[in-house]
Amino acid sequence: VGKNTLTWLGFGPNLGMAAVPDAVIQKYEGSFFTFIKGALGGDLQTLAGGPLFLLLAKYYTDHGPIFNLSFGPKSFLVISDPVMARHILRDSSPEQYCKGMLAEILEPIMGDGLIPADPKIWKVRRRAVVPGFHKKWLNSMIGLFGDCGDRLVDDLEKRSTSDKPVIDMEERFCSVTLDIIGKAVFNYDFGSVTKESPIVKAVYRVLREAEHRSSSFIPYWNLPYAEKWMVGQVEFRKDMGMLDDILAKLINRAVETRQEATVEELEERETSDDPSLLRFLVDMRGEDLTSKVLRDDLMTMLIAGHETTAAMLTWTMFGLVSNDPGMMKEIQAEVRTVMGNKSRPDYDDVVAMKKLRYALIEALRLYPEPPVLIRRARQEDTLPPGGTGLSGGVKVLRGTDIFISTWNLHRAPEYWENADKYDPTRWERPFKNPGVKGWNGYDPEKQSSQSLYPNEITSDYAFLPFGAGKRKCIGDQFAMLEASVTLSMIMNKFDFTLVGTPEDVGMKTGATIHTMNGLNMMVSPRSETNPIPGTNEWWTKQHLMRGLSSTG
Ligand code: HEM
């Protein structure tokens, strides 16, 4: 290491002792180690005394953009530097850096689905799945987002006039995004905005188990016969069985009615009766329907596309209601001006609602989902010198597990003005920091007209809301459209105020960042101070204003 300082932080059993894990922080400077022993606990979250990414944030402040962290025999290189992130995600091949421990954790749920897939399988599957997200399909999805948004609006209308008008918006966003992803991926209606069902409960329990696994430093699910004697594992197996049965039925039904076609033909096809990705993939010429990968990819998209989008909506709403009230009003005014008296927006409306999209993407800056990206080096490598810290390259040994902390990157004062402030207007202004070597800053001019949000390119890899490089999210535009349609529909109809203080909301994490206590809000029909253009009250206001000015 250039400055001859790489910090080692460790938790877990000291070598040779397999008993209860001790928390150990090791700091390596030049040639000696310092050990500090501390508290112990069951999972990383407990050990960290809160979300793991907050512990990584503390160490980032104390030890800089690269350090080593160990939990017992496991150790991780933690990176919070855009130049190094760019090297790993964009400049190295997926064969060089694979998903490592993430794949091991997710395999029992997602199998060989796109997120955990090893590089060989991934290459084939990515090529197969990407065409499903074509432009015409995305446009058709806006209708689906509108249908699900209507259900949410109806539900909020009922609740806001009931005797229990406090609504947990996080829970509502989780329901609407589950309904959307069910229809979009398998044409299956979970109906979770309006009712509870054993299947919906199974989906949530599986998600919680996946999160628990990803924050546990002991792979308890691999203990001998765990699925027979550990209550949580018995339940997990049952839930997975239920979901697998439904998926198998849906796949079989689609296969029975298969109408094989080329990708080009499928892209042009009218799909109003079943626009799902399942239909697209089953009908795609050359798709291997006998293997398990189709099931794995569909399950992966169900999980990847649901709570991530719900979290973006939740933290956007949180940002808007817990900051200057003028911010919310400005975005509502934009929504109401662009949408007029329409109940739902179309694609051009979403493009026109720039403030709304900036509000959404700003939430992903402060609450990235997931807050760390996980990789494993499959060959030895040397990282480029970091922007702020080490002058020489850090050598990465084969097998090294890596955490790229998007939480740290997105909140570092080196890359953001007033980094901890929720400020959607930041995306309108370029930002440079000559003190950071090799980093070109944020430049809104670099945003392509195809992208609905400022991304890793515009920020030169300081902002990675959907990852980067070849393994970047395939649902990014889908998620931005979905969230924009949903948020604009409810903002056009209602006003929102937070119940309690922002501190009451709290925060906890797994794969995505959740609130601790829900996002409880008073939802009321929108105030008429800002009427929707085109409506009677808007014309009345216009006439009044004109009358006043001509009199004046
Ligand atoms: C990958 C975030 C929505 C499907 C990723 C990655 C991130 C991410 C950060 C990269 C992971 C890594 O590099 O290890 C998000 C966020 C979303 C979202 C924040 C919503 C706000 C969706 C949706 C879908 C989806 C809606 C599908 C319908 C996937 C898939 C991958 C992925 C399949 C793996 C891509 C690959 O390895 O080739 N997502 N995602 N995501 N996401 Fe998303």
Side-chain angles (χ1 to χ4, degrees):
V1 179
K3 281 189 187 166
N4 215 17
T5 307
L6 179 62
T7 305
W8 291 76
L9 307 155
F11 298 89
N14 296 333
L15 285 181
M17 289 170 63
V20 190
D22 282 346
V24 181
I25 299 173
Q26 283 173 279
K27 187 170 170 152
Y28 169 67
E29 288 204 28
S31 56
F32 61 91
F33 291 94
T34 323
F35 290 89
I36 308 159
K37 288 199 173 196
L40 27 133
D43 60 21
L44 294 185
Q45 186 131 326
T46 325
L47 261 173
L52 174 68
F53 59 83
L54 290 187
L55 187 75
L56 301 186
K58 178 179 155 3
Y59 292 151
Y60 170 55
T61 312
D62 294 348
H63 306 293
I66 181 161
F67 55 85
N68 203 80
L69 176 69
S70 31
F71 297 95
K74 280 188 187 171
S75 89
F76 309 93
L77 194 59
V78 181
I79 292 175
S80 320
D81 181 287
V83 179
M84 295 182 197
R86 189 174 64 199
H87 171 83
I88 294 172
L89 299 174
R90 186 195 69 182
D91 301 339
S92 310
S93 68
E95 285 80 15
Q96 164 74 27
Y97 288 100
C98 67
K99 295 290 178 94
M101 59 174 273
L102 185 72
E104 287 154 19
I105 291 167
L106 293 178
E107 195 279 333
I109 301 167
M110 298 185 183
D112 286 326
L114 269 180
I115 289 187
D118 75 41
K120 213 165 141 207
I121 296 178
W122 168 82
K123 213 170 177 174
V124 178
R125 294 309 299 161
R126 175 103 186 182
R127 210 172 287 148
V129 177
V130 161
F133 286 75
H134 58 92
K135 185 94 178 67
K136 198 170 161 205
W137 181 74
L138 278 176
N139 269 329
S140 77
M141 283 293 108
I142 295 183
L144 167 66
F145 304 153
D147 293 344
C148 294
D150 278 343
R151 281 198 217 168
L152 179 64
V153 166
D154 289 349
D155 178 72
L156 293 183
E157 228 151 41
K158 265 192 228 126
R159 289 174 189 236
S160 63
T161 49
S162 76
D163 53 351
K164 285 188 193 143
V166 175
I167 301 171
D168 176 0
M169 286 306 295
E170 180 178 41
E171 185 278 326
R172 293 289 74 195
F173 287 141
C174 280
S175 294
V176 76
T177 52
L178 179 59
D179 288 356
I180 288 173
I181 204 76
K183 286 293 282 180
V185 175
F186 352 91
N187 199 25
Y188 180 80
D189 189 2
F190 284 105
S192 67
V193 165
T194 46
K195 62 178 195 292
E196 276 200 341
S197 75
I199 299 158
V200 171
K201 286 188 180 154
V203 171
Y204 282 109
R205 279 196 301 262
V206 164
L207 281 167
R208 293 292 81 77
E209 174 62 18
E211 295 203 324
H212 196 248
R213 287 182 181 195
S214 59
S215 62
S216 170
F217 66 102
I218 298 170
Y220 55 85
W221 59 95
N222 283 339
L223 292 172
Y225 304 107
E227 74 282 3
K228 293 213 162 62
W229 60 270
M230 286 179 85
V231 181
Q233 296 312 298
V234 175
E235 199 170 50
F236 172 69
R237 238 168 65 110
K238 236 169 66 197
D239 289 337
M240 278 309 295
M242 188 193 294
L243 296 184
D244 271 336
D245 280 353
I246 294 175
L247 252 179
K249 276 195 197 115
L250 294 168
I251 293 175
N252 287 341
R253 202 173 65 189
V255 172
E256 277 161 18
T257 51
R258 183 179 199 196
Q259 287 185 313
E260 226 180 305
T262 62
V263 167
E264 294 73 26
E265 286 162 350
L266 289 174
E267 284 182 6
E268 288 310 314
R269 194 169 67 174
E270 191 43 60
T271 55
S272 49
D273 52 332
D274 179 0
S276 69
L277 287 169
L278 166 61
R279 181 81 270 161
F280 186 97
L281 290 171
V282 163
D283 289 351
M284 190 167 66
R285 184 157 299 152
E287 177 72 346
D288 178 5
L289 300 178
T290 55
S291 86
K292 205 170 78 50
V293 285
L294 179 59
R295 174 262 174 223
D296 292 347
D297 283 330
L298 296 172
M299 183 67 93
T300 299
M301 285 187 272
L302 169 69
I303 292 180
H306 164 212
E307 287 199 326
T308 42
T309 317
M312 168 159 63
L313 282 161
T314 302
W315 293 112
T316 302
M317 193 57 108
F318 174 77
L320 291 175
V321 292
S322 54
N323 278 288
D324 165 17
M327 204 185 275
M328 175 73 123
K329 287 243 162 324
E330 247 187 67
I331 291 167
Q332 276 176 321
E334 178 189 75
V335 167
R336 291 167 188 181
T337 308
V338 172
M339 280 175 63
N341 52 5
K342 289 190 211 167
S343 63
R344 48 171 83 177
D346 56 26
Y347 186 87
D348 291 340
D349 295 333
V350 170
V351 172
M353 291 186 282
K354 203 170 177 183
K355 286 181 203 285
L356 179 97
R357 288 184 288 109
Y358 281 168
L360 286 163
I361 206 67
E362 177 69 349
L364 281 187
R365 185 183 68 83
L366 286 176
Y367 302 92
E369 317 290 349
V372 288
L373 300 177
I374 299 175
R375 292 291 186 273
R376 180 174 292 156
R378 298 173 93 218
Q379 291 143 31
E380 194 174 297
D381 190 19
T382 303
L383 296 178
T388 53
L390 307 157
S391 54
V394 172
K395 197 170 211 183
V396 178
L397 298 180
R398 183 164 170 260
T400 302
D401 282 312
I402 296 172
F403 283 173
I404 297 174
S405 170
T406 40
W407 175 277
N408 289 351
L409 266 176
H410 290 188
R411 288 178 176 245
E414 288 84 1
Y415 316 117
W416 312 98
E417 265 170 338
N418 292 325
D420 285 331
K421 187 171 160 41
Y422 177 81
D423 175 12
T425 67
R426 74 174 65 251
W427 301 105
E428 292 162 16
R429 303 180 292 272
F431 180 70
K432 266 200 176 264
N433 181 350
V436 184
K437 292 184 203 82
W439 179 66
N440 295 311
Y442 168 66
D443 181 358
E445 295 294 317
K446 286 194 185 147
Q447 188 174 327
S448 100
S449 59
Q450 302 300 309
S451 177
L452 289 169
Y453 64 96
N455 56 18
E456 72 281 8
I457 313 282
T458 53
S459 67
D460 201 16
Y461 295 77
F463 182 51
L464 308 170
F466 293 97
K470 292 210 165 69
R471 296 207 74 160
K472 185 177 167 174
C473 181
I474 51 174
D476 58 341
Q477 300 296 328
F478 177 98
M480 283 306 295
L481 267 180
E482 174 186 359
S484 305
V485 171
T486 308
L487 193 61
S488 61
M489 284 177 74
I490 60 172
M491 281 208 168
N492 201 14
K493 284 269 180 180
F494 304 101
D495 288 331
F496 298 87
T497 34
L498 186 63
V499 174
T501 65
E503 291 70 37
D504 294 336
V505 174
M507 186 170 74
K508 65 175 189 243
T509 187
T512 54
I513 307 172
H514 307 275
T515 72
M516 185 70 89
N517 304 307
L519 183 63
N520 293 316
M521 313 203 68
M522 288 291 290
V523 180
S524 51
R526 71 184 184 84
S527 66
E528 297 308 323
T529 48
N530 203 3
I532 299 175
T535 56
N536 284 345
E537 69 259 33
W538 185 79
W539 282 113
T540 313
K541 198 171 170 190
Q542 299 300 307
H543 286 309
L544 266 175
M545 278 162 53
R546 282 206 198 104
L548 282 178
S549 61
S550 59
T551 325

Coordinates of all heavy atoms in Angstrom, one line a residue, residues 420-462:
D420 N -24.9 15.0 3.4 CA -25.9 14.3 4.1 C -27.3 14.9 3.9 O -28.3 14.4 4.4 CB -25.6 14.3 5.6 CG -24.5 13.2 5.9 OD1 -24.4 12.3 5.2 OD2 -23.8 13.5 6.9
K421 N -27.4 16.0 3.2 CA -28.7 16.7 3.0 C -29.4 16.1 1.8 O -28.9 15.9 0.7 CB -28.4 18.2 2.8 CG -29.7 19.0 2.7 CD -29.3 20.5 2.7 CE -30.4 21.4 2.2 NZ -31.7 21.1 2.6
Y422 N -30.7 15.9 2.0 CA -31.6 15.4 1.0 C -31.9 16.7 0.1 O -32.6 17.6 0.5 CB -32.9 14.8 1.5 CG -33.9 14.4 0.5 CD1 -33.7 13.2 -0.2 CD2 -34.9 15.3 0.1 CE1 -34.6 12.8 -1.2 CE2 -35.8 14.9 -0.9 CZ -35.7 13.7 -1.6 OH -36.5 13.3 -2.6
D423 N -31.3 16.8 -1.1 CA -31.4 18.0 -1.9 C -31.5 17.6 -3.4 O -30.5 17.5 -4.1 CB -30.2 18.9 -1.7 CG -30.3 20.1 -2.6 OD1 -31.3 20.3 -3.2 OD2 -29.2 20.8 -2.7
P424 N -32.8 17.3 -3.9 CA -32.9 16.9 -5.3 C -32.4 17.9 -6.3 O -32.0 17.5 -7.4 CB -34.4 16.8 -5.4 CG -35.0 16.6 -4.0 CD -34.1 17.4 -3.1
T425 N -32.2 19.2 -5.9 CA -31.7 20.2 -6.8 C -30.3 20.0 -7.1 O -29.8 20.6 -8.1 CB -32.0 21.6 -6.4 OG1 -31.2 21.9 -5.2 CG2 -33.4 21.9 -6.0
R426 N -29.5 19.2 -6.3 CA -28.1 19.1 -6.6 C -27.8 18.5 -8.0 O -26.8 18.8 -8.6 CB -27.4 18.2 -5.5 CG -27.7 16.7 -5.7 CD -26.9 15.8 -4.7 NE -27.3 16.1 -3.3 CZ -26.5 16.7 -2.5 NH1 -25.3 17.1 -2.8 NH2 -26.9 16.9 -1.2
W427 N -28.8 17.7 -8.5 CA -28.5 17.1 -9.8 C -28.6 18.1 -10.9 O -28.2 17.7 -12.1 CB -29.6 16.0 -10.0 CG -29.5 14.9 -8.9 CD1 -30.3 14.8 -7.8 CD2 -28.4 14.0 -8.7 NE1 -29.9 13.8 -7.0 CE2 -28.7 13.3 -7.5 CE3 -27.2 13.6 -9.4 CZ2 -27.9 12.2 -7.0 CZ3 -26.4 12.6 -8.9 CH2 -26.7 11.9 -7.7
E428 N -29.0 19.3 -10.6 CA -29.1 20.3 -11.7 C -27.7 21.0 -11.9 O -27.4 21.6 -12.9 CB -30.1 21.4 -11.4 CG -31.5 20.9 -11.4 CD -32.5 21.9 -10.6 OE1 -32.1 23.0 -10.3 OE2 -33.6 21.4 -10.3
R429 N -26.8 20.9 -10.9 CA -25.5 21.6 -10.9 C -24.3 20.7 -11.0 O -24.3 19.6 -10.4 CB -25.4 22.4 -9.5 CG -26.5 23.3 -9.2 CD -26.2 24.0 -7.8 NE -26.3 23.1 -6.7 CZ -27.4 22.8 -6.0 NH1 -28.5 23.3 -6.4 NH2 -27.4 21.9 -5.0
P430 N -23.4 21.1 -11.9 CA -22.2 20.2 -11.9 C -21.4 20.3 -10.6 O -21.5 21.3 -9.9 CB -21.4 20.8 -13.1 CG -22.0 22.2 -13.4 CD -23.3 22.2 -12.8
F431 N -20.6 19.3 -10.3 CA -19.7 19.4 -9.1 C -18.4 18.8 -9.4 O -18.3 17.7 -10.0 CB -20.4 18.7 -8.0 CG -19.6 18.7 -6.7 CD1 -19.5 19.9 -6.0 CD2 -18.9 17.6 -6.3 CE1 -18.7 19.9 -4.8 CE2 -18.2 17.6 -5.1 CZ -18.1 18.8 -4.4
K432 N -17.3 19.5 -9.1 CA -16.0 19.0 -9.3 C -15.2 19.2 -8.0 O -15.5 20.1 -7.2 CB -15.3 19.8 -10.4 CG -15.5 19.2 -11.8 CD -14.4 19.7 -12.7 CE -14.5 19.1 -14.0 NZ -14.1 18.2 -14.7
N433 N -14.2 18.3 -7.8 CA -13.3 18.5 -6.7 C -11.9 18.3 -7.1 O -11.5 17.1 -7.3 CB -13.7 17.5 -5.6 CG -12.9 17.7 -4.3 OD1 -11.9 18.4 -4.4 ND2 -13.3 17.1 -3.2
P434 N -11.1 19.3 -7.4 CA -9.8 19.1 -7.9 C -8.9 18.4 -6.9 O -7.8 17.8 -7.3 CB -9.2 20.5 -8.1 CG -10.3 21.5 -7.6 CD -11.5 20.7 -7.2
G435 N -9.3 18.3 -5.7 CA -8.5 17.6 -4.6 C -8.6 16.1 -4.8 O -7.8 15.3 -4.2
V436 N -9.5 15.6 -5.6 CA -9.7 14.1 -5.8 C -9.0 13.8 -7.2 O -9.5 14.1 -8.2 CB -11.1 13.7 -5.8 CG1 -11.2 12.2 -5.9 CG2 -11.8 14.2 -4.6
K437 N -7.9 13.0 -7.1 CA -7.2 12.7 -8.3 C -7.9 11.6 -9.1 O -8.4 10.6 -8.6 CB -5.8 12.2 -8.0 CG -4.9 13.3 -7.4 CD -3.5 12.7 -7.2 CE -2.8 13.5 -6.1 NZ -3.2 13.1 -4.7
G438 N -8.0 11.8 -10.4 CA -8.5 10.7 -11.3 C -10.0 10.7 -11.3 O -10.6 9.8 -11.9
W439 N -10.7 11.7 -10.6 CA -12.2 11.6 -10.6 C -12.7 12.9 -11.3 O -12.2 14.0 -11.0 CB -12.7 11.6 -9.2 CG -14.2 11.6 -9.1 CD1 -15.0 10.6 -9.5 CD2 -15.0 12.7 -8.6 NE1 -16.3 11.0 -9.3 CE2 -16.4 12.2 -8.7 CE3 -14.8 13.9 -8.0 CZ2 -17.5 13.0 -8.3 CZ3 -15.9 14.6 -7.5 CH2 -17.2 14.2 -7.7
N440 N -13.5 12.7 -12.3 CA -13.9 13.8 -13.2 C -15.2 14.6 -12.7 O -15.6 15.5 -13.4 CB -14.2 13.3 -14.6 CG -12.9 12.8 -15.2 OD1 -11.9 13.5 -15.1 ND2 -12.9 11.6 -15.7
G441 N -15.7 14.3 -11.5 CA -16.8 15.0 -11.0 C -18.1 14.7 -11.6 O -18.3 13.7 -12.4
Y442 N -19.2 15.4 -11.1 CA -20.5 15.2 -11.6 C -20.8 16.2 -12.7 O -20.6 17.4 -12.5 CB -21.5 15.3 -10.5 CG -23.0 15.3 -11.0 CD1 -23.5 14.2 -11.6 CD2 -23.7 16.5 -10.9 CE1 -24.8 14.3 -12.1 CE2 -25.0 16.6 -11.3 CZ -25.6 15.5 -12.0 OH -26.8 15.5 -12.5
D443 N -21.3 15.7 -13.8 CA -21.6 16.6 -14.9 C -23.0 16.3 -15.5 O -23.1 15.3 -16.3 CB -20.5 16.5 -16.0 CG -20.8 17.4 -17.2 OD1 -21.8 18.2 -17.1 OD2 -20.0 17.5 -18.1
P444 N -24.0 17.1 -15.2 CA -25.4 16.8 -15.7 C -25.5 16.7 -17.3 O -26.3 16.0 -17.8 CB -26.3 17.9 -15.2 CG -25.4 18.9 -14.6 CD -24.0 18.3 -14.4
E445 N -24.5 17.4 -17.9 CA -24.5 17.4 -19.4 C -24.3 16.0 -20.0 O -24.6 15.7 -21.1 CB -23.4 18.4 -19.9 CG -23.6 19.8 -19.6 CD -24.9 20.4 -20.3 OE1 -25.0 20.1 -21.4 OE2 -25.6 21.1 -19.6
K446 N -23.6 15.2 -19.2 CA -23.3 13.8 -19.7 C -24.5 12.9 -19.7 O -24.3 11.7 -20.1 CB -22.2 13.2 -18.9 CG -20.8 13.9 -19.1 CD -19.7 13.0 -18.6 CE -18.4 13.7 -18.7 NZ -17.5 13.4 -17.6
Q447 N -25.6 13.3 -19.1 CA -26.7 12.4 -19.0 C -27.3 12.1 -20.4 O -27.7 13.1 -21.1 CB -27.8 12.9 -18.1 CG -28.9 11.9 -17.9 CD -29.9 12.3 -16.8 OE1 -29.6 13.1 -15.9 NE2 -31.2 11.9 -17.0
S448 N -27.4 10.9 -20.8 CA -27.9 10.6 -22.2 C -29.4 10.8 -22.2 O -30.1 10.6 -21.2 CB -27.6 9.1 -22.6 OG -28.7 8.3 -22.4
S449 N -30.0 11.1 -23.4 CA -31.4 11.3 -23.4 C -32.2 10.1 -23.2 O -33.4 10.1 -22.9 CB -31.8 11.9 -24.8 OG -31.4 11.0 -25.8
Q450 N -31.6 8.9 -23.3 CA -32.2 7.6 -23.0 C -32.4 7.3 -21.6 O -33.2 6.5 -21.2 CB -31.4 6.5 -23.6 CG -31.1 6.6 -25.1 CD -32.4 6.6 -25.9 OE1 -33.2 5.8 -25.7 NE2 -32.5 7.6 -26.8
S451 N -31.6 8.0 -20.7 CA -31.6 7.7 -19.3 C -32.6 8.6 -18.5 O -32.6 9.8 -18.7 CB -30.2 7.8 -18.7 OG -30.2 7.5 -17.3
L452 N -33.4 8.0 -17.7 CA -34.3 8.8 -16.9 C -33.7 9.4 -15.6 O -34.3 10.0 -14.8 CB -35.5 7.9 -16.5 CG -36.5 7.6 -17.6 CD1 -37.5 6.5 -17.1 CD2 -37.2 8.8 -18.1
Y453 N -32.4 9.1 -15.4 CA -31.8 9.6 -14.2 C -30.3 9.8 -14.3 O -29.6 9.2 -15.2 CB -32.0 8.5 -13.1 CG -31.3 7.2 -13.4 CD1 -30.1 6.9 -12.9 CD2 -31.9 6.2 -14.3 CE1 -29.4 5.7 -13.2 CE2 -31.3 5.0 -14.6 CZ -30.0 4.8 -14.0 OH -29.4 3.6 -14.3
P454 N -29.7 10.7 -13.5 CA -28.2 10.9 -13.5 C -27.6 9.6 -12.9 O -28.1 9.1 -11.9 CB -28.0 12.0 -12.6 CG -29.3 12.5 -12.0 CD -30.4 11.5 -12.5
N455 N -26.5 9.1 -13.5 CA -26.1 7.8 -13.2 C -24.6 7.7 -12.9 O -23.9 8.7 -12.7 CB -26.5 6.8 -14.2 CG -26.0 7.2 -15.6 OD1 -25.1 8.0 -15.7 ND2 -26.6 6.7 -16.7
E456 N -24.0 6.5 -13.1 CA -22.6 6.3 -12.8 C -21.7 7.1 -13.8 O -20.6 7.5 -13.4 CB -22.3 4.8 -12.8 CG -22.3 4.0 -14.1 CD -23.7 3.7 -14.6 OE1 -24.7 4.1 -14.0 OE2 -23.8 2.9 -15.6
I457 N -22.2 7.2 -15.0 CA -21.4 7.9 -16.0 C -21.4 9.4 -15.7 O -20.3 10.0 -15.7 CB -22.0 7.8 -17.4 CG1 -22.4 6.3 -17.7 CG2 -21.1 8.4 -18.5 CD1 -21.3 5.4 -18.1
T458 N -22.5 10.0 -15.4 CA -22.6 11.4 -15.1 C -21.8 11.8 -13.9 O -21.3 12.9 -13.7 CB -24.0 11.9 -15.0 OG1 -24.7 11.1 -14.0 CG2 -24.8 11.9 -16.3
S459 N -21.7 10.8 -13.0 CA -21.0 11.1 -11.7 C -19.6 10.5 -11.6 O -18.9 10.5 -10.6 CB -21.8 10.5 -10.5 OG -21.7 9.1 -10.6
D460 N -19.1 10.0 -12.8 CA -17.8 9.3 -12.8 C -17.6 8.3 -11.7 O -16.6 8.3 -11.0 CB -16.6 10.3 -12.9 CG -15.4 9.6 -13.5 OD1 -15.5 8.6 -14.1 OD2 -14.3 10.2 -13.3
Y461 N -18.6 7.5 -11.5 CA -18.6 6.3 -10.6 C -18.6 6.7 -9.1 O -18.3 5.8 -8.2 CB -17.5 5.4 -10.9 CG -17.7 4.8 -12.3 CD1 -17.5 5.5 -13.4 CD2 -18.3 3.5 -12.4 CE1 -17.8 5.0 -14.7 CE2 -18.6 3.0 -13.6 CZ -18.4 3.8 -14.8 OH -18.7 3.2 -16.0
A462 N -19.0 7.9 -8.7 CA -19.2 8.3 -7.3 C -20.7 7.9 -6.9 O -21.0 7.9 -5.8 CB -18.9 9.7 -7.1

